[in-house]
Amino acid sequence: MADLSVNVAGVSFKNPIIPASGVFGYGHEYEELFPLSELGGIATKGTTITKRNGNDAPRIAETTGGMLNSVGLQNPGIDAFIKKELPYLMQKDTVILANIAGSTVKECVTIAQQLEQTDVHMIELNISCPNVKQGGMAFGASCAGAESITRAVRKATTKPLVVKLSPNVTNIAEIAKATETAGADALSLINTLLGMRIDIRSRRPILKNNMGGMSGAAIFPIAVRMVWQCANAVRIPIIGMGGVTTGKDAIELMMAGASAVQVGAAIFTDPYAPIRIIREMNQWLDENHIATARELTGSVKPW
Amino acid sequence: MADLSVNVAGVSFKNPIIPASGVFGYGHEYEELFPLSELGGIATKGTTITKRNGNDAPRIAETTGGMLNSVGLQNPGIDAFIKKELPYLMQKDTVILANIAGSTVKECVTIAQQLEQTDVHMIELNISCPNVKQGGMAFGASCAGAESITRAVRKATTKPLVVKLSPNVTNIAEIAKATETAGADALSLINTLLGMRIDIRSRRPILKNNMGGMSGAAIFPIAVRMVWQCANAVRIPIIGMGGVTTGKDAIELMMAGASAVQVGAAIFTDPYAPIRIIREMNQWLDENHIATARELTGSVKPW
Amino acid sequence: MKYTQGEYRLIRKDNLGQDLYRFVLECPEITAVAAPGQFVHILPKGSTLRRPISICQIDRQAGTLTLVFAVRGEGTAVLADLRAGDYVDMLAPLGHGFTIQPDANRVILMGGGIGVPPMLALAEIYGERATVISGFRSMPAVMLQEEFAKTGAKTILCTDDGTAGLHAMVTEPLLEEIRQEKPDMICACGPTPMLRAIAKIAEEQGIFCEVSMEERMGCGIGACLVCACKMKLANGEIHAAHVCKDGPVFNAKEVAWNG
Amino acid sequence: MKYTQGEYRLIRKDNLGQDLYRFVLECPEITAVAAPGQFVHILPKGSTLRRPISICQIDRQAGTLTLVFAVRGEGTAVLADLRAGDYVDMLAPLGHGFTIQPDANRVILMGGGIGVPPMLALAEIYGERATVISGFRSMPAVMLQEEFAKTGAKTILCTDDGTAGLHAMVTEPLLEEIRQEKPDMICACGPTPMLRAIAKIAEEQGIFCEVSMEERMGCGIGACLVCACKMKLANGEIHAAHVCKDGPVFNAKEVAWNG
Ligand SMILES: Cc1cc2nc3c(=O)[nH]c(=O)nc-3n(C[C@H](O)[C@H](O)[C@H](O)COP(=O)(O)OP(=O)(O)OC[C@H]3O[C@@H](n4cnc5c(N)ncnc54)[C@H](O)[C@@H]3O)c2cc1C
Ligand SMILES: Cc1cc2nc3c(=O)[nH]c(=O)nc-3n(C[C@H](O)[C@H](O)[C@H](O)COP(=O)(O)OP(=O)(O)OC[C@H]3O[C@@H](n4cnc5c(N)ncnc54)[C@H](O)[C@@H]3O)c2cc1C
Ligand SMILES: Cc1cc2nc3c(=O)[nH]c(=O)nc-3n(C[C@H](O)[C@H](O)[C@H](O)COP(=O)(O)O)c2cc1C
Ligand SMILES: Cc1cc2nc3c(=O)[nH]c(=O)nc-3n(C[C@H](O)[C@H](O)[C@H](O)COP(=O)(O)O)c2cc1C
Ligand code: FES
Ligand code: FES
């Protein structure tokens, strides 16, 4: 049994695997299948100040090796999150990352301030949601935007602050640097890539929102590249994600520079994916006589 | 039999299907399998002024639903192209798009001037190659870069000028507009997305160039989205590509806004892909009682 | 809710018509807890997303579930290629089924097209107390009429083109049946316009009505919020419920039909 | 070059050792034009890219090709799951084989590991005029020795760990064989360090030597320029040749071994 524990920005994880924000709700539904305590952590659904119903359905489409979603940040709002969801989650003996997604800097600051009063372990600031008209990706698309929102939220919280980056940019390493400068404790990437599918019979986009965010195995090479570029650009740790489906994928992303790994769309294909990935990592490490998962981080040797 | 003919920037194609630059060489090898005259057109391998050997091997890696390449513009140089390859191609009764990829504006202008003396039908200016250190994607990553190189090449040629855009940007519609303003007659998109894969046993990137361009079915939703965004931003026609594998994919990309469609990685899976796609388009149009392929272009109705 | 995920053996496969298949699957632990109106979430090999298919019959004794599905796209085409003896990856049983009223005297079950199969599990419960009104486009699409007859239920068949049964929409015999004797409940599954029309009739006549809704899904268990369906809350507010967990069966009155 | 693409029937499949398989495929139009040293480009179901596999035996009369491959990654694992009777998508025969010298008196065929199989098609041509030196890591990896013996060729077996045959690198018996009688030609296939060592010996001894090179491929027919292999031109310039079309068999002297 290899030692799978990792540390990200001072927070200890029993293993590096974290269901990604948005695919896992607040965990309840998966407790029917496995104990949440087996997970390294849980990233909760993006929270706004007030309740949001999200975009109109259909909100999902399949693509080769992946999928598109346009949920659009449906959530019960920060008060309901803190009162109804968090107390339950905080008992689960796993790291809780509260994903926040305000549509203005002020809104994000308010949410962070409210979370400051809770026991949540980390804040994951989503500056990269492609499915909302205001805020979301707009913050993450420029260095100035990323820097200013990070700086503001940084001031509002003493909790470890993870900033979640968008892949829909020309130079993600520059944005990573701006975020580091502004005080982020860690980065998480990648969020979804903006995509579209059309039903050719009806000549209408499949998603009611026309476009949506692409995730799943198809985007994995882009995630590996971006994690590697960011790891070369910043000193803060990176939580990698994007298309991770197997233990080997998680190991590859860690070699590229990730300290921990989130799993999204793969959970739709296999609801046990996070647990399977932990088991597969363990097995590969043992077979290759590697004692700790930690030593994988950033160990790729470029040509 | 539906009428498959299309017109792009004044050039008539017998059908909308064109093997993409880089996957089809100069066509010789595929003549063993089918007559080149069955194709709508052929986009030739990117040409520089002098001969280039390209990057070191390995230059290819497989990914879920796609692949990465890092060929890096190996080609015999413009003189050899004009003397040895073009005369043969020009006899093939299909539209020839000469793809050019200089590493400086001046180089692109020189190549365009040399092609001006030939019968080649269109010039496809590649401002988006992710696999070379100079030029390439650097031109295509900013509006100013795209505009200045397009303007310079525009002055150097009277031939229809197609500018090939990179998907590795924050806002492709803005770059499309800059290119239109600078005098492009058409756009082609998307080139490959920058990606990476690591061999976890050796902890080395699979590609000797570390990173490479991702193509194939996996990127199709991104191509549909970008073609749609550009079609909504410019008035010049668009040649769409990126992951097209079936006749239905080609139809979807045309509905998103493409007037013609290039086929790349799919040819590696099925060397008959372009011919099969033409047949499948024909069949779908007939089944759906659609008389011409032309009427597909831009016919999606957004929600 | 109690669900499991696993590979279950396909013990029988029948072709019920063009692009229409019936699967009988051996899955005792699912059968033990499944109820009419619930669905299974099947993974076609090679797909990222699972496909929701309603439960058609539940045989607790044999430990088998029956499903009926139409080939619509790539995933259902892959499923249609499976052979008896193959294994099927299912996450099931999911969702919220129809309310079962043990004391009901009269229940009307309404199915339209591929919405007909889930009515069978209900007909097997209500037997002679049920009237099944099923509608299809045309004769070749008609299915399961013998199976419904076997339950003892009264069956009324309609086709849009009159090639089999009544040349009528399902709402015509529904109104006639209500006139004859007001039912305790109406259960319905089918295309949204049909459900909307039935819901309107039920509301006007003051009959309790449940409808099974369709929406594209991700997780299938209520975690991803993909399968939104708009509901009117008592206070008039619009709320996005989720077909996979809050449904697929909803009280017809609560659905925001124009939302 | 003349090649075709199609689905060809796998008529026999043997397991030759751990993760090592032999396929016999029925493909008369390919067999008719195939030559030793050429390869086939096989598409595993679900892959984007084909896998190059060398031709091991060519039986023109039966219209069959034999291939031997090791399971290395996902694609070869999918191939290993095929059963006799299944169809295999091949683009073949591709590339440039070994120069056949009908008048040669003595040819040395050198194979290392999974580079051994292509030597069999040559041994079947040269028979007693051939000496086959094959090297493997260890006994369990040894293969095809009986088949080589049947051709009438002299066979010399080496293993890195001495568990079968000589405890030696293949270059040791090569030097010994050359000492005994200088061959007209050396043909080799195997890992690059082995080929480099053989090329050096051949050059020093002035023996014509051809080597089969490996590189990752896209199209397999010379169009995409993916499979670059550096060659020294006569003028000393370095040129990127392509394994799929200019090779896989190259004159050992022309390969830029350090490039
Ligand atoms: C609760 C529920 C119960 C259902 N019961 C049945 C049934 O008993 N028999 C039956 O034939 N069909 C049923 N359907 C519809 C069935 O799920 C779709 O026909 C099927 O998912 C289409 O998949 P595909 O691979 O053929 O299409 P594709 O177009 O390849 O599917 C792509 C994606 O879209 C989704 N999708 C496409 N159409 C639908 C749809 N109409 N509803 C939901 N998702 C869709 C798929 O699940 C998949 O995620 C049910 C749907 C729901 C929501
Ligand atoms: C001309 C030639 C002849 C060959 N002959 C044989 C043979 O007779 N028997 C045999 O077992 N192997 C042979 N190989 C090697 C064989 O092609 C690889 O082992 C195989 O492609 C690996 O595929 P995979 O699906 O197992 O690996 P994956 O890692 O899943 O493959 C991913 C991609 O990388 C490519 N790739 C990975 N390793 C290699 C490699 N070593 N060489 C070329 N491409 C590679 C694959 O083709 C595929 O495109 C030959 C290679 C070449 C170039
Ligand atoms: C249905 C769905 C909903 C998502 N919602 C959120 C969200 O609320 N906040 C967020 O930061 N990311 C959200 N994401 C993005 C994922 O957290 C993750 O970044 C992305 O899906 C890439 O990982 P994957 O390829 O493993 O899915 C969502 C993704 C999906 C598929
Ligand atoms: C091996 C390879 C080489 C390529 N070379 C070029 C090139 O020289 N010039 C160019 O503009 N695009 C080049 N491309 C990009 C393709 O023309 C096309 O834009 C891209 O592959 C997306 O299409 P696809 O998904 O259908 O492959 C190359 C692509 C591949 C796979
Ligand atoms: S499908 Fe995930 S919430 Fe319904
Ligand atoms: S693989 Fe395409 S040129 Fe060799």
Side-chain angles (χ1 to χ4, degrees):
Chain A
M1 287 285 287
D3 174 4
L4 292 185
S5 68
V6 298
N7 186 298
V8 181
V11 178
S12 302
F13 291 70
K14 63 183 77 159
N15 66 60
I17 303 301
I18 307 163
S21 175
V23 301
F24 205 70
Y26 307 107
H28 306 282
E29 293 78 12
Y30 288 91
E31 281 230 284
E32 187 65 46
L33 301 174
F34 51 82
L36 301 183
S37 61
E38 291 188 14
L39 299 168
I42 296 174
T44 57
K45 176 68 192 173
T47 301
T48 50
I49 291 200
T50 50
K51 178 185 159 171
R52 278 178 67 117
N53 275 337
N55 294 318
D56 281 353
R59 296 176 172 185
I60 194 166
E62 194 167 59
T63 71
T64 302
M67 53 161 285
L68 301 176
N69 92 81
S70 58
V71 170
L73 293 179
Q74 177 171 5
N75 79 93
I78 184 65
D79 287 340
F81 173 71
I82 291 177
K83 278 193 211 110
K84 293 199 202 140
E85 305 295 348
L86 206 50
Y88 165 85
L89 278 174
M90 294 311 299
Q91 295 162 18
K92 295 296 166 186
D93 186 25
T94 189
V95 176
I96 305 300
L97 294 90
N99 184 288
I100 69 176
S103 40
T104 62
V105 172
K106 208 171 143 223
E107 205 180 318
C108 291
V109 166
T110 307
I111 298 169
Q113 282 166 341
Q114 288 191 245
L115 287 169
E116 186 66 8
Q117 319 303 322
T118 71
D119 292 332
V120 80
H121 302 101
M122 304 181 98
I123 290 179
E124 185 180 51
L125 174 64
N126 178 2
I127 60 168
S128 48
C129 181
N131 290 324
V132 288
K133 295 231 157 52
Q134 290 176 324
M137 217 167 77
F139 293 130
S142 73
C143 290
E147 187 167 340
S148 71
I149 189 164
T150 304
R151 206 177 286 286
V153 175
R154 169 73 294 166
K155 283 198 201 120
T157 183
T158 60
K159 296 197 184 280
L161 177 62
V162 186
V163 179
K164 184 161 176 183
L165 305 185
S166 169
N168 300 294
V169 296
T170 308
N171 191 333
I172 196 165
E174 288 304 318
I175 292 179
K177 278 195 245 174
T179 315
E180 179 181 42
T181 306
D185 297 301
L187 300 176
S188 68
L189 57 126
I190 58 177
N191 208 316
T192 54
L193 283 146
L194 199 56
M196 182 176 187
R197 287 302 308 273
I198 298 168
D199 174 351
I200 61 173
R201 291 181 153 271
S202 63
R203 303 197 186 192
R204 306 297 308 241
I206 291 179
L207 301 175
K208 203 63 173 275
N209 202 42
N210 296 323
M211 299 185 284
M214 183 166 145
S215 60
I219 71 168
F220 181 64
I222 298 172
V224 174
R225 182 264 290 186
M226 289 187 164
V227 165
W228 186 66
Q229 288 180 321
C230 290
N232 286 331
V234 299
R235 254 169 285 182
I236 50 179
I238 293 172
I239 302 177
M241 79 195 84
V244 172
T245 307
T246 66
K248 287 187 184 172
D249 293 342
I251 289 164
E252 186 168 336
L253 211 49
M254 290 184 74
M255 288 183 178
S259 296
V261 171
Q262 293 188 19
V263 179
I267 296 180
F268 296 166
T269 317
D270 173 9
Y272 287 98
I275 302 298
R276 177 177 48 76
I277 289 170
I278 293 167
R279 191 179 62 236
E280 288 168 351
M281 283 191 76
N282 220 324
Q283 193 180 329
W284 191 89
L285 290 171
D286 285 350
E287 277 168 18
N288 290 277
H289 312 291
I290 298 167
T292 69
R294 287 185 293 284
E295 72 187 66
L296 300 172
T297 299
S299 66
V300 65
K301 285 188 295 270
W303 295 106
Chain B
M1 288 285 286
D3 174 3
L4 291 186
S5 69
V6 297
N7 186 297
V8 181
V11 178
S12 301
F13 291 70
K14 63 182 79 159
N15 65 61
I17 303 301
I18 307 164
S21 175
V23 300
F24 206 69
Y26 307 107
H28 305 282
E29 292 79 12
Y30 288 91
E31 281 230 285
E32 186 64 47
L33 300 174
F34 52 81
L36 301 183
S37 61
E38 291 188 13
L39 299 168
I42 296 174
T44 58
K45 177 70 194 170
T47 301
T48 50
I49 291 199
T50 51
K51 178 185 157 166
R52 278 178 68 116
N53 275 338
N55 295 320
D56 281 354
R59 295 178 175 184
I60 194 166
E62 196 168 54
T63 72
T64 301
M67 54 162 282
L68 301 176
N69 92 81
S70 58
V71 169
L73 293 178
Q74 177 172 6
N75 80 94
I78 184 66
D79 288 340
F81 173 71
I82 291 176
K83 277 193 211 111
K84 293 199 200 137
E85 305 296 347
L86 205 50
Y88 164 86
L89 277 174
M90 295 310 300
Q91 294 161 20
K92 294 297 167 185
D93 186 24
T94 188
V95 175
I96 305 300
L97 294 89
N99 183 289
I100 69 176
S103 40
T104 61
V105 172
K106 206 169 146 224
E107 205 181 317
C108 290
V109 165
T110 308
I111 298 168
Q113 282 165 342
Q114 286 188 249
L115 286 169
E116 187 67 8
Q117 320 302 320
T118 70
D119 292 332
V120 80
H121 302 100
M122 304 180 99
I123 290 180
E124 185 179 53
L125 174 64
N126 178 1
I127 60 168
S128 49
C129 182
N131 290 323
V132 289
K133 293 228 163 49
Q134 292 177 323
M137 218 167 74
F139 292 131
S142 72
C143 290
E147 185 166 343
S148 72
I149 190 165
T150 304
R151 206 177 287 285
V153 176
R154 169 73 294 169
K155 284 200 199 115
T157 182
T158 60
K159 295 196 185 282
L161 176 62
V162 186
V163 178
K164 184 162 176 181
L165 305 186
S166 169
N168 301 294
V169 296
T170 308
N171 190 335
I172 197 166
E174 288 303 319
I175 293 179
K177 278 195 245 174
T179 316
E180 180 181 41
T181 306
D185 297 303
L187 300 175
S188 66
L189 57 123
I190 58 174
N191 208 317
T192 53
L193 282 148
L194 199 57
M196 181 176 189
R197 288 300 309 271
I198 297 168
D199 175 350
I200 61 172
R201 292 182 151 271
S202 63
R203 302 195 186 193
R204 309 290 316 235
I206 291 178
L207 301 176
K208 202 64 173 274
N209 202 42
N210 297 323
M211 297 185 284
M214 181 166 146
S215 60
I219 71 168
F220 180 65
I222 299 173
V224 174
R225 183 262 291 188
M226 289 187 164
V227 165
W228 186 65
Q229 288 180 319
C230 289
N232 286 331
V234 299
R235 253 168 286 183
I236 51 178
I238 293 172
I239 301 176
M241 79 195 84
V244 172
T245 307
T246 65
K248 288 186 184 172
D249 293 342
I251 289 164
E252 187 168 336
L253 212 47
M254 290 183 75
M255 287 183 178
S259 297
V261 170
Q262 293 189 18
V263 179
I267 296 180
F268 296 166
T269 317
D270 173 9
Y272 287 98
I275 302 298
R276 176 176 49 75
I277 289 169
I278 294 166
R279 193 180 60 236
E280 289 168 347
M281 283 190 76
N282 221 321
Q283 194 179 328
W284 191 90
L285 291 171
D286 285 351
E287 279 168 16
N288 290 276
H289 313 293
I290 299 168
T292 69
R294 286 186 295 285
E295 72 186 67
L296 300 173
T297 299
S299 66
V300 66
K301 284 187 296 271
W303 294 104
Chain C
M1 260 204 297
K2 183 152 176 54
Y3 36 80
T4 50
Q5 179 264 333
E7 303 254 331
Y8 299 96
R9 207 159 67 99
L10 175 60
I11 57 177
R12 188 172 152 188
K13 175 188 169 191
D14 302 305
N15 188 332
L16 300 187
Q18 212 207 324
D19 286 340
L20 200 61
Y21 295 89
R22 174 164 55 198
F23 275 13
V24 182
L25 291 144
E26 192 171 32
C27 47
E29 65 270 42
I30 295 175
T31 313
V33 294
Q38 285 192 298
F39 68 96
V40 305
H41 216 21
I42 298 194
L43 182 66
K45 259 220 165 78
S47 286
T48 300
L49 299 178
R50 293 170 178 268
R51 269 58 176 173
I53 303 290
S54 293
I55 291 172
C56 170
Q57 282 174 296
I58 305 164
D59 187 335
R60 291 240 163 85
Q61 231 137 10
T64 59
L65 274 189
T66 304
L67 312 173
V68 172
F69 68 92
V71 174
R72 285 285 150 76
E74 285 183 36
T76 47
V78 167
L79 294 179
D81 275 348
L82 292 172
R83 286 173 290 198
D86 287 347
Y87 283 77
V88 180
D89 184 335
M90 285 202 292
L91 174 64
L94 302 180
H96 189 96
F98 288 98
T99 305
I100 304 297
Q101 304 196 327
D103 304 328
N105 288 316
R106 178 165 164 71
V107 174
I108 300 183
L109 310 178
M110 312 277 304
I114 199 66
V116 169
M119 293 302 123
L120 188 52
L122 287 173
E124 289 183 339
I125 287 176
Y126 291 113
E128 294 177 357
R129 294 174 289 160
T131 297
V132 182
I133 306 177
S134 29
F136 298 96
R137 196 159 304 177
S138 184
M139 196 185 12
V142 175
M143 59 169 143
L144 302 178
Q145 295 304 298
E146 277 178 42
E147 284 81 351
F148 278 111
K150 259 192 239 161
T151 66
K154 174 176 174 188
T155 63
I156 301 175
L157 173 64
C158 307
T159 54
D160 295 352
D161 64 358
T163 48
L166 305 176
H167 188 172
M169 310 279 273
V170 288
T171 42
E172 293 177 42
L174 172 63
L175 285 168
E176 178 55 31
E177 285 289 318
I178 294 172
R179 218 167 295 138
Q180 283 176 22
E181 187 191 341
K182 205 164 156 178
D184 298 297
M185 178 177 187
I186 300 172
C187 301
C189 183
T192 307
M194 170 185 130
L195 298 182
R196 190 191 288 121
I198 294 169
K200 189 161 169 256
I201 292 170
E203 178 142 34
E204 284 164 4
Q205 311 256 352
I207 303 166
F208 176 46
C209 175
E210 287 186 338
V211 292
S212 178
M213 304 293 287
E214 248 188 37
E215 197 41 74
R216 289 185 178 233
M217 293 185 180
C219 69
I221 59 177
C224 73
L225 312 187
V226 151
C227 60
C229 174
K230 286 191 189 156
M231 309 299 284
K232 301 189 285 265
L233 296 182
N235 64 5
E237 208 185 293
I238 295 293
H239 168 71
H242 294 284
V243 170
C244 71
K245 191 179 183 179
D246 307 315
V249 176
F250 293 97
N251 185 330
K253 268 198 203 166
E254 293 169 10
V255 175
W257 291 105
N258 306 311
Chain D
M1 260 203 299
K2 184 154 177 48
Y3 36 79
T4 49
Q5 178 265 333
E7 303 255 331
Y8 299 96
R9 208 158 68 98
L10 176 60
I11 59 177
R12 189 174 150 186
K13 174 188 168 190
D14 302 306
N15 187 332
L16 299 187
Q18 214 208 324
D19 286 340
L20 201 61
Y21 295 90
R22 174 163 57 196
F23 275 12
V24 182
L25 290 145
E26 191 172 34
C27 49
E29 65 270 43
I30 296 176
T31 313
V33 294
Q38 285 192 298
F39 68 97
V40 304
H41 215 22
I42 298 195
L43 182 66
K45 259 221 166 75
S47 285
T48 300
L49 299 177
R50 291 170 179 270
R51 269 57 176 174
I53 302 290
S54 294
I55 291 171
C56 170
Q57 282 175 298
I58 305 164
D59 187 335
R60 292 242 161 81
Q61 233 137 7
T64 60
L65 274 190
T66 303
L67 312 174
V68 172
F69 68 92
V71 173
R72 286 286 150 78
E74 285 182 38
T76 48
V78 167
L79 294 178
D81 274 347
L82 291 172
R83 286 174 289 198
D86 287 346
Y87 283 77
V88 180
D89 183 336
M90 285 202 292
L91 174 64
L94 302 181
H96 190 96
F98 288 99
T99 305
I100 304 296
Q101 302 196 329
D103 303 330
N105 288 317
R106 177 165 164 74
V107 175
I108 300 185
L109 310 179
M110 311 277 305
I114 198 65
V116 170
M119 294 301 124
L120 188 52
L122 287 172
E124 289 183 337
I125 288 175
Y126 290 113
E128 295 177 356
R129 294 175 289 160
T131 296
V132 182
I133 307 178
S134 28
F136 298 95
R137 196 159 303 176
S138 184
M139 189 172 29
V142 174
M143 60 169 144
L144 301 176
Q145 296 303 298
E146 277 180 39
E147 284 81 350
F148 279 111
K150 257 192 239 160
T151 66
K154 175 175 173 187
T155 63
I156 301 176
L157 173 65
C158 306
T159 52
D160 294 352
D161 64 359
T163 48
L166 305 178
H167 188 172
M169 309 278 275
V170 289
T171 42
E172 292 176 43
L174 171 63
L175 286 167
E176 177 55 31
E177 285 290 316
I178 293 172
R179 218 168 294 137
Q180 282 175 21
E181 187 190 345
K182 201 162 157 178
D184 298 298
M185 178 176 187
I186 299 173
C187 302
C189 183
T192 306
M194 169 185 132
L195 298 182
R196 190 193 288 120
I198 294 169
K200 187 159 171 260
I201 292 171
E203 177 141 36
E204 284 165 4
Q205 309 258 352
I207 303 166
F208 175 47
C209 175
E210 287 184 337
V211 292
S212 178
M213 303 294 286
E214 246 188 37
E215 196 42 73
R216 288 184 179 234
M217 294 185 180
C219 68
I221 59 177
C224 72
L225 313 185
V226 151
C227 59
C229 173
K230 286 192 189 155
M231 310 298 287
K232 302 189 285 264
L233 295 183
N235 63 6
E237 207 185 295
I238 296 293
H239 167 71
H242 294 284
V243 169
C244 70
K245 190 179 185 177
D246 306 316
V249 176
F250 292 97
N251 185 330
K253 268 200 203 166
E254 293 169 10
V255 175
W257 291 105
N258 305 314

